């Protein structure tokens, strides 16, 4: 009798071990997707991928899983990261070389892909990435990715952050970007994008940050055309160092939540719109190195008392600067014609021309 009970006990223990092992094992699709990703990377100075061993991928470095489904929800392998504990943090700078495997699409529960500042990722962004309908954050900045942005990226309607800046991406920015209605942060700067800014970008009503600087974009600045269609959460709009033409739209005044506007080093013409005075929270205003032509800065700029940076030089500004600038207590950095700097507060840093 005792022997029978002991055998039953061993059987129960064996079943428990099997269940625990089964619970720890990754979903087969997740496991294959991650192993194929690892195979596509031929150099990893951090050594994180060398620890991707076995089938318990939820405990691999840089991988997070849903506690209920055990599916992988996050790949977090940035080039700069902190290792160690809170008491003895170790700040690590690393790089990976290789390409992103199309098999990443097998991880269908992914919400975050963060491979930023790995420096050495090359090739194209896989078209198959479009099947990851739960993806909220795609951060591939500061690598060597090339070709165009796959159209499938613009079907990822759960995306809140799209960061592809500092790569070698080319082609036009698709009008289908307007499909990303949940998008809050858009970083496409320092690539080689051409063509016009898509009109559909004005439909991104959740957007707070737009960085399109350091590209080869042409045409006019695209902004919402009415208060009802505005970007109600916009904080940063950076379009500098392109080849944009036309006037600064008067509708810029609808962006009342804007804190930073950078449109310098383009080919913009016409006046500086008086509607800028509506943007009471504006702290950074850079319109230098264009072909703007005004008798003087609009007096409505006197309402921008939060300004800390003001760049307006290398335009055709004929009259004096508004005297109100001398009372701007936060104004620290300016780029204006030197012959007009007398109206500026003491202690302001003046850019060399």
């Amino acid at each position: 009798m005792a022997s029978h009970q002991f055998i039953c006990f061993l059987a129960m223990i064996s079943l428990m071990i099997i269940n625990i092992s089964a619970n720890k094992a990754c979903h087969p699709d997740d496991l294959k997707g991650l192993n194929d990703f690892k195979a596509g990377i031929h150099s990893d100075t951090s050594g994180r991928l060398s620890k991707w061993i076995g089938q318990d991928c939820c405990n691999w470095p840089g991988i997070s899983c849903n506690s209920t489904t055990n599916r992988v929800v996050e790949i977090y392998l940035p080039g700069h990261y902190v290792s160690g504990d809170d008491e003895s943090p170790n700040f690590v700078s690393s790089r990976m070389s290789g390409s992103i495997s199309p098999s990443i699409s097998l991880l269908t529960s992914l919400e975050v892909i963060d491979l930023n500042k790995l420096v050495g990722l090359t090739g194209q962004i896989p078209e198959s990435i479009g099947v990851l309908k739960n993806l909220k954050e795609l951060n591939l900045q500061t690598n060597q990715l090339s070709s165009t942005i796959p159209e499938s990226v613009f079907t990822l309607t759960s995306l809140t952050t799209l960061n592809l800046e500092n790569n070698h991406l080319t082609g036009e920015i698709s009008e289908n970007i307007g499909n990303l209605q949940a998008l809050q942060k858009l970083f496409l700067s320092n690539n080689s994008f051409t063509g016009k800014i898509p009109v559909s970008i004005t439909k991104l009503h959740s957007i707070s940050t737009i960085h399109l600087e350091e590209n080869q974009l042409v045409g006019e600045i695209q902004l919402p055309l009415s208060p009802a269609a505005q970007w109600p959460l916009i904080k940063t709009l950076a379009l500098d160092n392109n080849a944009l033409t036309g006037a600064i739209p008067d509708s810029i005044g609808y962006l009342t939540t804007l804190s930073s506007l950078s449109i310098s080093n383009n080919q913009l013409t016409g006046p500086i719109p008086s509607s800028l005075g509506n943007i009471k929270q504006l702290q950074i205003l850079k319109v230098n190195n264009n072909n703007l032509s005004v008798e003087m800065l609009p007096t409505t700029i006197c309402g921008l008392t939060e300004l800390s940076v003001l760049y307006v030089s290398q335009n055709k500004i004929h009259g004096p600067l508004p005297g109100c600038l001398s009372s701007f207590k936060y104004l620290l950095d300016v780029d204006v014609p030197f012959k007009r700097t007398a109206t500026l507060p003491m202690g302001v840093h003046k850019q060399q021309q």
Side-chain angles (χ1 to χ4, degrees), residues 16-193:
M16 290 175 63
I17 291 172
I18 292 171
N19 286 335
I20 289 172
S21 299
N23 287 335
K24 282 190 172 183
C26 266
H27 188 283
D29 287 347
D30 290 352
L31 195 61
K32 176 171 173 49
L34 292 173
N35 280 325
D36 285 358
F37 173 83
K38 178 181 177 180
I41 304 299
H42 51 76
S43 174
D44 170 24
T45 63
S46 71
R48 286 172 288 182
L49 297 186
S50 66
K51 298 174 184 177
W52 284 17
I53 301 172
Q55 297 190 344
D56 183 14
C57 70
C58 294
N59 285 315
W60 289 355
I63 302 301
S64 297
C65 294
N66 181 287
S67 59
T68 302
T69 65
N70 217 39
R71 294 298 302 265
V72 173
V73 294
E74 179 174 295
I75 300 177
Y76 180 72
L77 294 168
H80 299 162
Y81 64 100
V82 179
S83 66
D85 54 33
D86 293 339
E87 294 183 359
S88 303
N90 181 29
F91 296 92
V92 180
S93 180
S94 65
R95 63 179 292 164
M96 292 184 187
S97 299
S99 59
I100 302 172
S101 170
S103 295
I104 201 167
S105 62
L106 293 173
L107 295 105
T108 53
S109 294
L110 270 179
E111 297 177 7
V112 175
I113 299 175
D114 192 334
L115 305 173
N116 84 82
K117 298 182 180 178
L118 290 173
V119 181
L121 295 183
T122 58
Q124 301 180 20
I125 301 170
E127 180 76 34
S128 60
I129 205 168
V131 306
L132 304 178
K133 300 305 182 184
N134 296 308
L135 199 63
K136 297 177 181 177
E137 180 178 339
L138 179 60
N139 189 345
L140 304 175
Q141 70 147 310
T142 314
N143 281 288
Q144 300 178 46
L145 299 170
S146 57
S147 192
T148 59
I149 302 176
E151 279 295 314
S152 63
V153 168
F154 304 114
T155 68
L156 300 174
T157 54
S158 294
L159 271 185
T160 60
T161 299
L162 177 60
N163 191 341
L164 305 176
E165 66 182 10
N166 297 323
N167 278 286
H168 305 310
L169 299 170
T170 58
E172 297 188 4
I173 302 171
S174 173
E175 281 288 348
N176 288 325
I177 196 170
N179 296 333
L180 305 181
Q181 289 295 296
L183 198 64
Q184 299 172 17
K185 297 179 180 179
L186 176 64
F187 300 90
L188 299 180
S189 60
N190 199 16
N191 282 286
S192 297
F193 291 117

Side-chain angles (χ1 to χ4, degrees), residues 178-325:
N179 296 333
L180 305 181
Q181 289 295 296
L183 198 64
Q184 299 172 17
K185 297 179 180 179
L186 176 64
F187 300 90
L188 299 180
S189 60
N190 199 16
N191 282 286
S192 297
F193 291 117
T194 56
K196 298 180 179 181
I197 299 173
V199 176
S200 65
I201 202 170
T202 62
K203 299 178 181 179
L204 302 178
H205 300 308
S206 297
I207 202 74
S208 67
T209 303
I210 297 176
H211 280 275
L212 300 179
E213 70 269 31
E214 302 282 353
N215 281 291
Q216 300 166 28
L217 300 173
V218 299
E220 298 181 345
I221 295 174
Q222 297 295 335
L223 295 176
L225 297 178
S226 69
Q230 67 171 312
W231 292 323
L233 304 174
I234 193 71
K235 295 292 184 184
T236 301
L237 179 60
L239 306 175
D240 25 338
N241 295 295
N242 281 288
L244 299 174
T245 55
I248 302 173
D250 194 59
S251 58
I252 191 76
Y254 298 143
L255 309 183
T256 56
T257 59
L258 200 63
S259 61
S260 178
L261 174 62
S262 299
I263 51 177
S264 57
N265 296 301
N266 280 288
Q267 301 168 27
L268 300 172
T269 56
I272 297 175
S274 60
S275 62
L276 271 176
N278 298 333
I279 313 175
K280 305 299 183 183
Q281 301 178 42
L282 198 62
Q283 299 173 18
I284 297 173
L285 175 59
K286 297 181 179 181
V287 299
N288 55 303
N289 293 316
N290 279 289
N291 294 312
L292 301 174
S293 180
V294 291
E295 186 61 33
M296 60 183 294
L297 291 179
T299 55
T300 53
I301 203 171
C302 292
L304 306 182
T305 56
E306 301 292 314
L307 274 182
S308 61
V309 176
L310 175 62
Y311 289 4
V312 297
S313 72
Q314 303 302 315
N315 284 293
K316 300 172 183 177
I317 301 174
H318 305 291
L321 295 176
C324 62
L325 295 179

